[in-house]
Amino acid sequence: MRDYVPGPYDLDAMPEARAAAVLGELADWVEWLRRIYELDAIKPCWWRHPALVRELLAAFVRWRDAYQHGAAESAPFAWHSDVLRPLAARLGEITNMESCTPSGCGLRPSPPARDPELAVFLAQLADGTAALGDTLPTWEVGHERMLDLIDAARRNLMIPATRTRR
C-alpha cells in the first residue's frame, strides 16, 4: 500500500475536520434512509460500527451520484437494485447490531486478527532468513496416501469407485 493515494472518502486518511463534515452529511442521509426505507435494522448507534459506517458511506456516495443533476435517467433505478437492495439484505452480515437497542450500543469489538508470529515472519522474510514457501504446511500427503483416503471416504459414503490406481 506504499503507492496508495487516498481518495476523497477514505475515512482513515482524511483530516479530522473533513471527516466531521463527511460524517455529518452521512448522519443526515442515514436518518433519511432509515425513515424512508423503514430500515430499522440500522440502529441509532450505526456510527459506532466502523464496517457499517464505510458501507453506508459508499451507499451515500453512490446515491448522490445517482440523483445529482446530469446523472443518467436510469441511475436511481440502478442505485436501488445495485446498492440499496444488496445493502439491506446483508446488514446483519456487515456488523452485529442484534444486541444494539435504541438506547444503547452492544458493539463488542473483535480482538485484533493479526497473528503475533506475522511480525517475526515479516522480519525474517526481510532479512532473508525466511522464504514465502515457509508459510505453507510442512507435511505432504502424497499421491498414494491421497488415493487411499479417497477410497476410504467412498467406502464410508458408499460411493462406487470410479478410478484405477496407477
Side-chain angles (χ1 to χ4, degrees):
M1 293 189 51
R2 282 175 259 213
D3 298 329
Y4 175 71
V5 177
Y9 293 101
D10 183 344
L11 288 172
D12 297 318
M14 68 178 62
E16 284 79 11
R18 166 105 171 110
V22 167
L23 291 174
E25 280 185 73
L26 180 62
D28 292 341
W29 181 79
V30 168
E31 287 310 309
W32 170 85
L33 182 76
R34 290 179 69 224
R35 185 180 71 253
I36 295 298
Y37 294 97
E38 300 174 10
L39 292 174
D40 296 333
I42 301 175
K43 304 288 196 278
C45 64
W46 62 267
W47 59 276
R48 295 180 185 270
H49 298 258
L52 184 58
V53 169
R54 283 152 179 80
E55 288 270 351
L56 290 168
L57 181 59
F60 170 58
V61 170
R62 289 281 308 273
W63 174 84
R64 239 182 15 198
D65 288 347
Y67 283 91
Q68 73 181 347
H69 179 74
E73 287 184 19
S74 61
F77 176 80
W79 180 81
H80 282 86
S81 64
D82 298 345
V83 179
L84 178 63
R85 286 193 186 107
L87 173 66
R90 69 175 189 271
L91 277 172
E93 298 170 10
I94 296 168
T95 188
N96 181 2
M97 296 189 89
E98 289 180 10
S99 57
C100 299
T101 66
S103 60
C105 183
L107 177 65
R108 301 291 178 260
S110 300
R114 186 171 279 204
D115 184 334
E117 293 180 22
L118 176 60
V120 174
F121 175 71
L122 292 175
Q124 291 172 339
L125 192 59
D127 71 15
T129 59
L132 283 177
D134 294 343
T135 64
L136 302 174
T138 56
W139 55 271
E140 184 176 323
V141 172
H143 182 73
E144 287 301 315
R145 178 69 179 133
M146 182 58 71
L147 292 176
D148 291 339
L149 292 169
I150 291 169
D151 285 342
R154 283 192 174 129
R155 280 191 301 276
N156 289 339
L157 297 172
M158 301 172 113
I159 299 171
T162 57
R163 63 156 181 83
T164 56
R165 288 190 180 265
R166 290 194 235 179

